[in-house]
C-alpha cells in the first residue's frame, strides 16, 4: 500500500506540469492503494474527496501546486492512520501493563518486546505469565525473560490466574513496570471476557492493551470495538506490520474506533517494536525524506530556468526599461529583492550593489508612474532620454526630475549587472553548483 502511494507521489513530483489530470491520476492511484491495503472503501472514498477539495481550495501559484499536493496527501494520510500519537506515560510504580487478545496475535512475543523497550530506557521490568490455558505459554515467556535478563513470575501448575496474581503481588512493588501476558481464545467469547474481567479487577492494570495482527485489515475495527465494549481497553498494539499488506487497513480501522495505537510490531525479534506515531510512520513509509530532496531539485531547476531566461535576454542585448519594470513587478509580488536574488543560483554570489537590493515598495510605485509617462521608444531605448525628456516625464508622472534620474541610474546598474552575468560568470557559477545549463 505504502509503496504504491510513494510511487504515485513520485510521478507527481517528476511530472513536467501538474494539472488536474495529473492530480486525478494520483488520487485514483492512492485510492487503489488504500483498497489493496484493506482500508474501508467508504473511508478511502472520503479521504480522496477531502484531498481533492483541499487541493482545489488551497491552490496558490503554479510553483507550489506540486508541494501543496504532497503536503495535503501526507497530512490526510497521517490523519487516516491515527490522530494521536501513542505514548504511555509511566507515572506510577509499579506500572502494570496487561496484554489481551485472541490466539496467536502475538501477545507473548509482544510482552517480551515491551519488556526490552522499557528495559533499554532504564526501567526495572518484570514479566508475569497469566496464560494458564496453553501449556507451553509458561516456558515461552520464561525463555524470553531469561534472554532479556529480566525477572519472571509464573506458576506452571496453577490453573487460576487470580491465584498467580495473589502469589506474586508483593513482588510487583520492586519493579517500575510489570508486563502481563494473558491467555487467548479463538474468539472473544464469554469465557475469555470473564477471565480477563477477573484478572483486571484483581490486578488493577494501568494499561490494558489489545494485541492484534496487521493482517486483520479493516476487521480490526470490529475486534477493537468488541474488546473495548467488553473490557475497556486503553490502547492497541498492531503486530506483524512487517509481513502484511493490510497494515494500513488495520491502523485506519483503529483510528476510526478511537482506539489509540501505542506500539507496532515490525518483526519476530524482540527489538522489533516501535512506538507508533502516524505522522512519522507515514513520512517514513512514503519516503518523504526522498520526496523533499526531489522537491528541492525541482525548485532548483525552476530557478535555473529563470536564470537562463535572464542570461538569454542579456546575451541578445535586449534588456530594456520594460524588463526592469517587469522585474520590479515580479519582485514586488515575491518579496524582497535579496530574497529573489538568492533564489537564482549564482546571483547571490555576485556582490550586488546595496541600493539595488533595497528598493522600497514606495519607490517601486514611483518608478511605475514614471515609466507610465514614458513613450514606447523611451522605454525600449532609455539612452535617448535627455534633459528635456526627463523634465517632460517628471511633469507627466507628477514626480521630480530627481526621481526620473534615480530610475535611470537603477536601469544602468541593472544593465551593468547583466553584463557581469553574461560575461560567463553565471555559467561558471552554475558549473560550480553542478547545475546543468
Ligand atoms: N513477523 C512478525 N511475527 C510476529 C510479530 N509478532 C509476533 N510474531 C509471531 O507470531 C507468532 C505468535 O506469537 P505469540 O507471541 O506466541 O502470540 P500469542 O498471542 O502469545 O499466542 P497465544 O499465546 O497462542 O494466544 C510467533 O511465531 C511470533 O514470532 C511481528 O511483529 N512480526
Ligand atoms: Mg502467548
Amino acid at each position: 500500500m505504502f509503496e504504491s502511494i510513494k510511487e504515485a507521489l513520485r510521478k507527481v513530483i517528476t511530472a513536467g506540469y501538474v494539472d488536474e489530470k495529473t492530480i486525478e491520476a494520483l488520487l485514483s492511484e492512492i485510492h487503489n492503494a488504500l483498497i489493496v491495503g484493506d482500508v474501508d472503501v467508504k473511508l478511502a472514498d472520503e479521504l480522496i474527496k477531502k484531498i481533492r477539495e483541499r487541493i482545489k481550495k488551497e491552490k496558490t501559484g503554479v510553483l507550489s501546486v506540486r508541494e501543496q499536493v504532497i503536503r495535503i496527501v501526507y497530512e490526510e494520510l497521517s490523519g487516516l492512520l491515527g490522530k494521536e500519537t501513542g505514548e504511555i506515560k509511566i507515572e506510577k510504580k509499579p506500572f502494570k501493563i496487561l496484554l489481551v487478545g485472541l490466539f496467536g496475535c502475538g501477545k507473548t512475543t509482544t510482552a517480551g518486546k515491551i519488556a526490552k523497550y522499557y528495559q533499554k530506557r532504564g526501567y526495572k521490568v518484570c514479566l508475569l505469565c497469566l496464560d494458564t490455558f496453553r501449556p507451553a505459554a509458561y516456558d515461552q515467556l520464561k525463555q524470553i525473560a531469561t534472554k532479556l535478563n529480566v525477572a519472571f513470575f509464573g506458576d506452571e501448575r496453577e490453573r487460576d490466574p487470580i491465584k498467580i496474581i495473589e502469589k506474586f503481588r508483593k513482588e510487583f512493588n520492586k519493579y517500575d513496570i510489570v508486563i502481563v501476558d494473558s491467555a487467548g481464545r479463538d474468539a472473544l467469547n464469554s469465557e475469555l471476557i470473564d477471565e480477563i474481567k477477573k484478572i483486571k479487577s484483581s490486578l488493577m492494570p494501568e494499561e490494558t492493551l489489545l494485541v492484534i495482527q496487521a493482517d486483520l485489515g479493516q476487521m480490526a475495527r470490529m475486534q477493537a470495538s468488541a474488546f473495548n465494549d467488553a473490557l475497556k481497553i486503553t490502547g492497541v498494539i498492531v503486530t506483524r506490520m512487517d509481513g502484511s499488506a493490510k497494515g494500513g487497513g488495520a491502523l485506519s480501522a483503529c483510528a476510526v474506533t478511537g482506539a489509540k495505537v501505542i506500539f507496532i510490531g515490525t518483526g519476530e525479534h524482540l527489538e522489533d517494536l516501535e512506538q507508533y506515531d502516524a505522522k512519522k510512520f507515514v513520512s517514513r513509509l512514503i519516503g518523504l525524506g526522498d520526496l523533499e530532496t526531489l522537491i528541492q531539485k525541482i525548485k532548483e531547476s525552476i530557478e535555473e530556468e529563470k536564470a537562463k531566461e535572464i542570461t538569454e535576454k542579456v546575451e541578445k542585448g535586449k534588456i530594456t526599461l520594460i524588463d526592469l519594470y517587469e522585474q520590479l513587478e515580479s519582485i514586488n509580488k515575491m518579496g524582497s529583492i535579496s530574497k529573489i536574488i538568492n533564489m537564482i543560483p549564482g546571483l547571490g554570489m555576485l556582490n550586488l550593489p546595496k541600493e539595488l537590493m533595497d528598493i522600497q515598495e514606495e519607490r517601486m510605485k514611483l518608478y511605475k508612474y514614471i515609466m507610465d509617462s514614458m513613450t514606447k521608444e523611451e522605454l525600449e531605448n532609455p539612452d535617448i532620454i535627455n534633459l528635456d525628456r526627463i523634465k517632460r516625464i517628471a511633469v507627466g508622472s507628477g514626480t521630480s526630475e530627481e526621481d526620473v534620474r534615480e530610475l535611470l541610474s537603477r536601469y544602468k546598474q541593472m544593465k551593468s549587472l547583466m553584463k557581469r552575468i553574461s560575461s560567463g560568470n553565471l555559467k561558471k557559477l552554475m558549473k560550480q553548483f553542478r547545475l546543468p545549463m
Side-chain angles (χ1 to χ4, degrees):
M1 163 175 158
F2 296 105
E3 256 323 296
S4 358
I5 293 177
K6 183 174 170 175
E7 243 346 279
L9 283 174
R10 207 171 276 277
K11 275 185 211 157
V12 169
I13 286 168
T14 48
Y17 183 69
V18 179
D19 54 10
E20 212 156 298
K21 232 167 116 188
T22 326
I23 291 170
E24 279 311 312
L26 168 76
L27 293 180
S28 141
E29 278 179 57
I30 292 178
H31 191 263
N32 281 344
L34 294 174
I35 300 302
V36 170
D38 202 34
V39 172
D40 180 71
V41 180
K42 224 177 103 198
L43 257 167
D45 290 349
E46 277 166 17
L47 187 90
I48 297 301
K49 210 175 127 200
K50 207 162 156 205
I51 295 177
R52 185 184 288 118
E53 274 166 14
R54 280 192 62 189
I55 289 175
K56 277 204 185 106
K57 213 166 64 195
E58 293 168 37
K59 207 182 272 184
T60 47
V62 182
L63 183 68
S64 60
V65 170
R66 223 182 285 267
E67 291 158 88
Q68 197 78 308
V69 168
I70 289 156
R71 188 177 58 82
I72 291 168
V73 168
Y74 160 69
E75 281 174 7
E76 290 301 323
L77 212 55
S78 315
L80 176 82
L81 298 182
K83 279 148 199 101
E84 298 171 86
T85 57
E87 197 188 350
I88 297 178
K89 289 203 174 70
I90 311 288
E91 284 167 328
K92 193 174 164 283
K93 186 186 167 179
F95 193 90
K96 288 157 284 167
I97 301 172
L98 172 64
L99 301 182
V100 301
L102 302 183
F103 274 144
C105 61
K107 292 177 297 299
T108 308
T109 316
T110 305
K113 288 178 178 180
I114 296 177
K116 176 157 189 167
Y117 180 90
Y118 285 113
Q119 183 190 38
K120 269 201 289 195
R121 285 159 180 78
Y123 291 98
K124 203 175 167 202
V125 183
C126 71
L127 283 163
L128 171 66
C129 174
L130 295 184
D131 183 355
T132 58
F133 195 82
R134 201 165 58 80
Y138 175 92
D139 280 334
Q140 193 192 349
L141 193 65
K142 194 175 176 183
Q143 263 176 33
I144 291 173
T146 310
K147 205 168 166 185
L148 290 175
N149 198 19
V150 301
F152 169 76
F153 301 108
D155 188 337
E156 244 177 322
R157 271 159 302 213
E158 181 54 63
R159 312 297 313 157
D160 183 358
I162 309 304
K163 290 211 173 115
I164 300 175
I165 298 173
E166 294 306 339
K167 187 172 169 186
F168 296 107
R169 197 182 292 281
K170 278 200 195 101
E171 299 289 330
F172 299 158
N173 293 325
K174 296 178 191 159
Y175 299 90
D176 299 316
I177 303 172
V178 184
I179 297 151
V180 187
D181 184 23
S182 69
R185 298 292 190 281
D186 50 17
L188 182 62
N189 53 26
S190 55
E191 192 190 325
L192 181 59
I193 293 175
D194 251 26
E195 182 178 307
I196 297 171
K197 271 188 175 161
K198 278 186 196 147
I199 289 176
K200 273 188 78 176
S201 60
S202 167
L203 184 73
M204 301 288 280
E206 275 63 43
E207 296 280 344
T208 304
L209 304 181
L210 171 66
V211 183
I212 57 170
Q213 62 272 53
D215 27 294
L216 270 184
Q218 55 174 296
M219 297 285 286
R221 183 173 176 173
M222 267 157 59
Q223 210 178 102
S225 45
F227 266 85
N228 192 42
D229 291 347
L231 300 161
K232 290 269 163 294
I233 54 166
T234 55
V236 177
I237 298 169
V238 182
T239 63
R240 288 192 232 172
M241 281 298 296
D242 52 310
S244 171
K246 294 184 177 178
L251 291 168
S252 65
C254 290
V256 167
T257 55
K260 208 156 87 170
V261 177
I262 312 285
F263 290 112
I264 53 174
T266 54
E268 290 186 43
H269 301 290
L270 290 173
E271 55 274 0
D272 299 334
L273 184 79
E274 288 171 24
Q275 202 193 308
Y276 182 65
D277 177 331
K279 279 210 165 111
K280 277 192 201 139
F281 181 74
V282 170
S283 82
R284 200 185 60 214
L285 279 180
I286 63 176
L288 212 71
D290 293 349
L291 294 182
E292 266 161 16
T293 329
L294 268 171
I295 291 171
Q296 192 51 38
K297 280 209 184 107
I298 287 154
K299 263 196 187 157
E300 279 166 10
S301 73
I302 288 168
E303 286 156 15
E304 177 199 326
E305 262 166 43
K306 261 189 230 148
K308 234 187 201 168
E309 208 178 285
I310 297 173
T311 320
E312 267 164 29
K313 267 202 165 146
V314 172
E315 273 167 1
K316 287 180 194 146
K318 267 199 177 156
I319 191 94
T320 66
L321 261 176
I322 298 173
D323 290 318
L324 177 61
Y325 185 86
E326 279 171 3
Q327 291 289 323
L328 291 179
E329 286 251 279
S330 68
I331 286 163
N332 231 345
K333 269 185 235 146
M334 291 179 68
S336 76
I337 297 192
S338 21
K339 203 169 128 203
I340 180 171
I341 295 280
N342 283 327
M343 273 175 65
I344 304 174
L347 283 195
M349 315 267 297
L350 284 178
N351 255 341
L352 298 173
K354 203 173 173 305
E355 313 92 80
L356 196 62
M357 309 277 279
D358 285 339
I359 304 175
Q360 301 299 314
E361 213 170 299
E362 265 169 51
R363 297 312 285 170
M364 296 234 224
K365 265 189 210 146
L366 201 76
Y367 295 163
K368 204 167 166 269
Y369 297 144
I370 296 173
M371 286 194 242
D372 284 339
S373 290
M374 288 183 186
T375 63
K376 191 166 171 286
E377 200 193 2
E378 286 164 350
L379 282 171
E380 277 171 0
N381 189 12
D383 291 338
I384 61 165
I385 302 177
N386 55 19
L387 270 176
D388 283 347
R389 285 178 191 252
I390 289 177
K391 257 182 205 152
R392 195 210 76 236
I393 294 165
V395 172
S397 59
T399 59
S400 68
E401 288 172 35
E402 215 21 61
D403 293 330
V404 179
R405 262 186 238 111
E406 184 186 300
L407 171 66
L408 290 174
S409 103
R410 288 268 188 275
Y411 164 74
K412 278 192 192 112
Q413 276 179 334
M414 184 151 152
K415 211 174 168 184
S416 82
L417 164 70
M418 292 304 162
K419 267 193 201 127
R420 274 159 74 193
I421 299 172
S422 71
S423 62
N425 267 338
L426 190 60
K427 274 184 189 161
K428 258 187 238 152
L429 280 164
M430 291 267 188
K431 263 192 202 130
Q432 216 171 300
F433 289 114
R434 284 179 229 288
L435 290 168
M437 279 293 278

